[in-house]
Structure formats: structure tokens, C-alpha cells
């Protein structure tokens, strides 16, 4: 995994090795998603790097809301899962779309999400289960939540961080080489904001722990290298996410 910059407002690059991928992804394939104004609102776009070039951008959202903070990952069978934040007069919510075959599904809202849900991050495990972490408000403060896409349905979001009355934000989730699901985020604790982690095990999120030093450092890396990889047709480089697939 390579993480460039903070999780909000900067270019990000993540590496993923979809287990069992057979021809759908290769050493040179990437998916890039970003939010950009179409003159009326912010929409979500996608382009794929293959055979040494980027495909023409495809506009995924066409509604009258602002759509921001996109994130994408792919399953071993080539199914792509795209999530983002939508903003309108009702507030912030998480939406998603699925690419299967040769077209994107119509955007839908993640069910049962808490108030102010935003900043989603998605990863797909070896079994093809999509995991989404995001920030939401429980009526007191911001917490980290997770929902899983299993057999065509999303699970009810569960809280990842320990119960508290302090903010938790900017989550990301990854699948390790041993297929362990790890959520990492920023949380305000006794001495200020710190990077925290929790592992999924025995059907629930385990007790949060301080993130490893290298994980905490990666979240603070400079974004220059990430932005240098963005093609010229992406004018606004503030909300770009690139997923690089490797065997």
C-alpha cells in the first residue's frame, strides 16, 4: 500500500493485489476517480490506465447534488465498487455504484447510515466482500463506521472506534496479504490527534490500538509524487484517488 497525503482534499494512491485476478487486472492497470465541477455541480469521474494510456473520462454521477471524496476498489472477478460523499440541502450522505460487465449501476445510498456520513473509503477482500469505512455522527461527536457488501446487500453500519466523546475522522481500510481487514483513522485522545487502528476478527472489530509508526508516517507524506501522476485532463487535483492493481 502507498498512501500519499491526508485523506481529505489531496491526491491519493493505493496499491491492491486482487486475489485470483485472471486478466481483469495486470501490473499496469489503475483506476483513477475524482470529483470535479461540471459547471453546475461537482460530479464523480473515472478513468482507467491500461496499455500505457488513460481511457477517456466517464462521468458516473449526473444528479443535481455535489458529489465529492470518491474511492474505488475491484474484486477478483473484475467487479468495481465506487463510493463517495454526496452533499445537498439534506446534508452529507454516502452513495455507491457498481461496475459489472460493461456499465455502471445507478448510484444508490448506503442504507442505515448515521447523520453526516462522509469521507468513505472502500477495499475488497479475497472473498469478494466490499468493506466501506466512513465518518458519521452519533449525535454527540464523529465516529468511524463500517459496512460490508455481502451477497448483494449492505450490512448495518457498525462503529469501529472505542466509545468516546471525542472526534474520530479520516478513515481508510486495507486488506493485508493474509486477508486481514485493518481500519486506520485519526482520533482525538488525551494528548491530541493520533493515528489509531482496529482489526476485524471473530465477527467484530477488535479493541483500537495506536497505529504502527510507519502507518502514521505514511498518512503525513507529501503529495507531490501523487499529483505528478495525474493526467492533464484532471484540472482539479484536490480530490483524486488512484487504485493501482498488481499481481
Amino acid at each position: 500500500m502507498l498512501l500519499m497525503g491526508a485523506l481529505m482534499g489531496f491526491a491519493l494512491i493505493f496499491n491492491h493485489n486482487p486475489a485470483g485476478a485472471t486478466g481483469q487486472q495486470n501490473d499496469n492497470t489503475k483506476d483513477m476517480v475524482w470529483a470535479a465541477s461540471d459547471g453546475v455541480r461537482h460530479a464523480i469521474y473515472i478513468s482507467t490506465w491500461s496499455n500505457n494510456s488513460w481511457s477517456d473520462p466517464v462521468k458516473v454521477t449526473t444528479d443535481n447534488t455535489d458529489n465529492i471524496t470518491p474511492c474505488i476498489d475491484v474484486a477478483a472477478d473484475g467487479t468495481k465498487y465506487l463510493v463517495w460523499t454526496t452533499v445537498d440541502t439534506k446534508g452529507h450522505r454516502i452513495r455507491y455504484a457498481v461496475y459489472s460487465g460493461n456499465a455502471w449501476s445507478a448510484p444508490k445510498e448506503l442504507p442505515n447510515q448515521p447523520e453526516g456520513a462522509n469521507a468513505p473509503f472502500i477495499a475488497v477482500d479475497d472473498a469478494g466482500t466490499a468493506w466501506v469505512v466512513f465518518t458519521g455522527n452519533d449525535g454527540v461527536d464523529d465516529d468511524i463506521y463500517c459496512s460490508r457488501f455481502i451477497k448483494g446487500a449492505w450490512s448495518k453500519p457498525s462503529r469501529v472506534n472505542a466509545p468516546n466523546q471525542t472526534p474520530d475522522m479520516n478513515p481508510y481500510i486495507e486488506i493485508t496479504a493474509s486477508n486481514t481487514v485493518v481500519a486506520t483513522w485519526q482520533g482525538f485522545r488525551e494528548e491530541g490527534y493520533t493515528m489509531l487502528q482496529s482489526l476485524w476478527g471473530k465477527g467484530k472489530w477488535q479493541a483500537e490500538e495506536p497505529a504502527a509508526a510507519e502507518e502514521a508516517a505514511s498518512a503525513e507524506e507529501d503529495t507531490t509524487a501523487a499529483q505528478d501522476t495525474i493526467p492533464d485532463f484532471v484540472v482539479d487535483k484536490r480530490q483524486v484517488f488512484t487504485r493501482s492493481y498488481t499481481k
Side-chain angles (χ1 to χ4, degrees):
M1 177 207 70
L2 172 63
L3 170 61
M4 293 290 189
L7 292 175
M8 291 288 288
F10 293 101
L12 297 172
I13 300 175
F14 262 74
N15 293 329
H16 177 209
N17 176 10
T22 55
Q24 295 290 344
Q25 271 68 45
N26 57 53
D27 290 340
N28 297 316
T29 302
K30 306 173 187 177
D31 281 321
M32 180 175 61
V33 290
W34 68 97
S37 175
D38 61 5
V40 178
R41 67 197 68 77
H42 276 77
I44 303 300
Y45 297 83
I46 182 171
S47 177
T48 297
W49 174 269
S50 183
N51 298 321
N52 297 316
S53 65
W54 289 103
S55 65
D56 292 336
V58 173
K59 188 177 182 181
V60 180
T61 61
T62 58
D63 58 357
N64 290 318
T65 63
D66 278 315
N67 298 286
I68 58 176
T69 66
C71 184
I72 193 170
D73 202 5
V74 67
D77 65 359
T79 301
K80 298 180 182 182
Y81 298 88
L82 173 61
V83 293
W84 65 91
T85 306
T86 186
V87 185
D88 59 17
T89 57
K90 297 179 182 179
H92 294 68
R93 299 181 307 284
I94 307 300
R95 286 183 176 167
Y96 72 96
V98 179
Y99 184 91
S100 182
N102 57 6
W104 285 98
S105 67
K108 296 181 180 180
E109 285 192 15
L110 194 73
N112 302 309
Q113 55 188 290
E115 292 294 324
N118 68 91
F121 197 103
I122 193 165
V124 182
D125 67 18
D126 292 357
T129 299
W131 300 71
V132 176
V133 289
F134 57 92
T135 302
N137 195 285
D138 64 358
V140 177
D141 63 356
D142 287 341
D143 289 314
I144 305 303
Y145 293 87
C146 179
S147 181
R148 295 175 291 158
F149 193 67
I150 307 174
K151 296 180 179 179
W154 290 100
S155 65
K156 183 178 180 180
S158 59
R159 190 181 64 234
V160 179
N161 59 275
N164 59 58
Q165 295 185 346
T166 58
D168 293 272
M169 62 186 69
N170 295 344
Y172 67 91
I173 193 165
E174 58 184 315
I175 314 299
T176 70
S178 60
N179 207 36
T180 301
V181 182
V182 184
T184 306
W185 70 96
Q186 290 178 310
F188 190 92
R189 299 299 181 261
E190 294 180 359
E191 298 181 358
Y193 281 99
T194 185
M195 296 298 294
L196 301 164
Q197 282 187 333
S198 177
L199 278 63
W200 178 265
K202 299 181 180 180
K204 63 180 182 180
W205 289 103
Q206 302 301 300
E208 67 180 35
E209 296 181 353
E214 58 269 22
E215 289 288 346
S218 70
E220 301 298 331
E221 291 180 12
D222 183 72
T223 64
T224 301
Q227 294 200 3
D228 284 347
T229 67
I230 299 172
D232 291 340
F233 60 72
V234 180
V235 178
D236 188 345
K237 296 177 171 58
R238 292 175 297 173
Q239 294 188 44
V240 180
F241 180 94
T242 302
R243 179 78 72 172
S244 179
Y245 308 111
T246 58
K247 290 183 178 181

